[in-house]
Amino acid sequence: MKGYWHIVAFIAFVNSVSATYHFLFSILGYTWLFWLYKRRRIKLRVCIMSIVIGMAAFYLIYNVKSHAVSTPIPKQDTLQGKIVSSISNNDAGISFTLRDLNDQLIEVFLFERDAKQLKEIKTGASCTMKGNVQEPQQATNPGQFDYKNYLANNGIYWNITLDDRDPIQCEGESWLQFIYSIRQNIVVKTKDVLSPLTSSWLQALLIGEKMGIDNETEELFQRWGLSHLLAISGLHVGIVIGILYTTLVKFHLVTKEKAQWIIILFLPFYAILAGGEPSVWRASMMTAVAFLFLKAGKKISLTDGLSILFLVFIIVSPTMLFQIGFQLSFIVTFALLLSKKIFSGPKLFVALRISLISQLIVLPFQLYYFFFFNPLSVLVNVIFVPYFTFLVIPLMFLLLFLTYTFPLLAKLMDSLFIPTHEMMLRVLEWMDQSLYFPWVIGKLSPILFISYFFLFLFFMKYLSAERERQAFRYGLILVCFLFILSIKPFFTPYSTVTMLDVGQGDSFVIELPYRRGIIVIDAAGSIGSDFQTATDKTYRQIIKPFLYAKGIRQIDSLILSHEDIDHVGSVPYLLDGFDVKQIVTSRYFNISKTTKKNLKDSGVRVTKLVEGEYIDIKGYSFLALSPTSDNGTSNENSLVLFTELGGLRWLFSGDIGNKSEREMINNYPNLKADVLKVSHHGSKFSTSDQWLERLKPKIALISVGRNNQYGHPAKEVVSKLKNQGIAIVRTDQHGSIRYRFTGKKGTFSKYLP
Amino acid sequence: MFCIWCDTEIMIEVNWNNLFYPDHPKPLCDQCETKLDFLSGNQCTLCGRNWDFGNRCRDCARWEKDPEWQGVLTFNRSVFSYSKAIQEMVAKWKYRGDYVLVESFRQGFQAAFTKQFSFLEVAVIVPIPLSLERLSERGFNQAEALADFLNATTIQALTRIHGEKQSKKTRRERLVSTNPFEVVTHIKTPVILIDDIYTTGITIRHAAKKLRDAGCPEVYSFTLIRG
């Protein structure tokens, strides 16, 4: 079996994929296995082992997946259960996983509450709470992160959100609690002794507590492919264990034998202490297994060790397979182990190769989850990985030790570390501002996902065989592959109009054929906790992922109906993150002086329209029907646009009220529309009978938030539309809605069935 | 897997090349493998030994001068050059009956055969036989064991009359000894003789001569070692 475990692991993996997507994967896997056996490349026992474990993996994953379908809704109104996860804190509150009396897992989220109550919430505690158990929110837009799916991948099918009035009572704790309290102690103690900057990095890098690292830094690291430094992985575990082992042995604290045992026992403890993420478990268990074999005097190849660990993971916790952290952690480690041969020569050269191979192997995952990659991240890794490996992580370990023993010395070193680290972060920020060129490719289909790996396999095969010419050829094909992916839209004759589900707000994206242009009508923002300013939530979670998933980086025209947050709140972020060529508004749209200056500086053209004027965007004209004059309120000043797309007449009406409708009825006696964007999310002060009679629309689009506090859309409006036999599509019920067309023909489709 | 020569464990290293198509299990560890010297560089066109001074080595020139032996053997090719390590291995294999050691030569033997003799469209493999006495003493014929590796028609076309071991004789004694072979099957196509070692070339030539006399158009030889 030795040296062949990767085959068993691969068959198990293929079977898991098969249980999730299509049985064809299993057939291909087994065909490959039998072919190897027939060619006498593997022994019968490898075959049998692969089949047995493969079938077990299939069964386990299939079970999880079918469980998801058949889980009944827990109907009780008081919820009782045990906390089975660690307690994670973030800005808004705390969350944990509860196992209820029926053995169902439920994700619990608590808004901020007083410290006394928080103290009782511990892993292993039995809790009673009152609240409304719900199905988790699923994605309703292409490209959007699917929270429901994410929880399901962890075996959780329900969630409950408790605000500060909902009662919760907890008592008891698990035997693991002592580890969590050590963790808590470290957090408190380092915060106390060290500067906020240093303590937050110490907590993130040594015990996986990322609370202190702000979102901007985390996103900065993500943009530059450095997230792996922030998540505790083999690198961190390796350094911590290396320092610990060397200290124990070099200072003759214990014998080598004992030191090895200490390490082996310390590793699972450390995995829990460091937050228990899959990457932490993988790295600690891998190290523990290596130490165990070292003790037994047996040799084991690292690929075997990793493969066996992979098998143990998917058998113990099959849902882990769907977690991005697990996927990346295993694939990168495996790829690096396979490439051992080519890691020789000058150090810088090796560092570059390691960085390049890691980036290339995670690229399909990166594109699958985030739709873009940053080509320069390879170089940044070459700088930052050694910086963290040789300086930051060892120093943090030392600082942790000193915090508890010589706090004064810790403070001194802290003051030396701050300027260094600030400088490094500033370098990264500077690069982010001047050298950030993300290559937005769009969502990768499964076929392309697999094809990429085949190309990469051949590339690496020739590279490690030192057949440079062949390797170069495959490298070139790989680059062309990515290039073709990113220019694919330029060869697509289809256009789309998408009404995004942005909750209570409006956002439309129009993609012209052959990528001639991208038009965005309104960019809703989410309203912050002060009910005044917009946050980037809608932009970050919905608009940006949608555009990236479509491979869009440039917006030719950004049309803004009026200046309310639910229509323009994401505009600043959009201007920052995308290449916006032109902004189109009504003449009465208020743009502040600073915004005006910013727009001018960044070269964005501003076009203002009034009633009767039209704008031509790449051969598609948009006629302004309103406003004729300043109507006083932002809603009534909404820019109303008429256009023809895919054989249909469209009317985008912003948030106009009855007044503007009446004006248009008078001004345009022959006005007709096939598709009407119902004004103001279906408010009862818009969409009059006369308006509908004049337009005679066939389809009414309503962009409206789920259970919104305004009661939109108004019952009257809905029944009016129904009575006139107009088909209604609503974002709160159907998610995003897309009209896809070529020439004069097209079809509507809803994201949610 | 353990090295069949030194018995240390062989670690299979999975890399990008063998990830989806494992290599054949290796019989020798990397260290023992490097002890085997593949013949390479300038070689004598006739007997295949390393020779830097022209087409033919001095021995072969002598053979070809003698009208009795001229052109009897078209050419010989071997896989390994003679070294202490391979001598030990062959001794253990051949004389002390460690039959499985032959596996260490399989890969090299097959590869070299394809390289050297694939130009022959029709050829029959004839292993150099042992006398019945020697065979019963050793239990197997080393030439046959090697011939078994090759994917070609093998015919036991010769028999051997018992005599003293070649390895116990001096060069002069070997050269004047009587031909110990007899043809039992007449072959009309080119023949490739297989043996473990080519030292003076007399054994191969004795066998070749008998085959040629019985009507064989051309005789080549392929041995594991060029002594």
Side-chain angles (χ1 to χ4, degrees), chain A residues 2 4 6 10 32 35-36 39 41 43 299-301 303 338-339 460-461, chain B residues 1 9-25:
Chain A
K2 268 192 184 179
Y4 293 96
H6 66 285
F10 189 72
W32 168 69
W35 177 63
L36 289 185
R39 301 297 299 265
R41 296 300 170 120
K43 295 252 164 63
K299 282 201 260 180
I300 181 169
S301 76
T303 47
L338 292 179
S339 319
M460 288 308 296
K461 193 179 156 98
Chain B
M1 249 3 135
E9 194 174 357
I10 301 170
M11 300 289 286
I12 296 175
E13 198 184 281
V14 186
N15 55 43
W16 292 103
N17 251 312
N18 60 15
L19 178 61
F20 289 112
Y21 195 53
D23 302 319
H24 281 295

Side-chain angles (χ1 to χ4, degrees), chain A residues 107-154:
Chain A
E107 184 73 5
V108 182
F109 183 80
L110 295 174
F111 278 107
E112 286 289 17
R113 47 185 68 212
D114 61 85
K116 191 174 157 266
Q117 219 172 5
L118 280 181
K119 253 195 172 158
E120 289 161 5
I121 299 172
K122 297 176 191 167
T123 305
S126 298
C127 297
T128 314
M129 59 194 82
K130 252 187 178 157
N132 208 356
V133 176
Q134 287 175 321
E135 266 190 76
Q137 180 60 50
Q138 69 186 111
T140 58
N141 294 284
Q144 191 185 354
F145 172 72
D146 197 328
Y147 185 59
K148 183 177 181 175
N149 192 34
Y150 165 78
L151 286 184
N153 287 344
N154 288 288

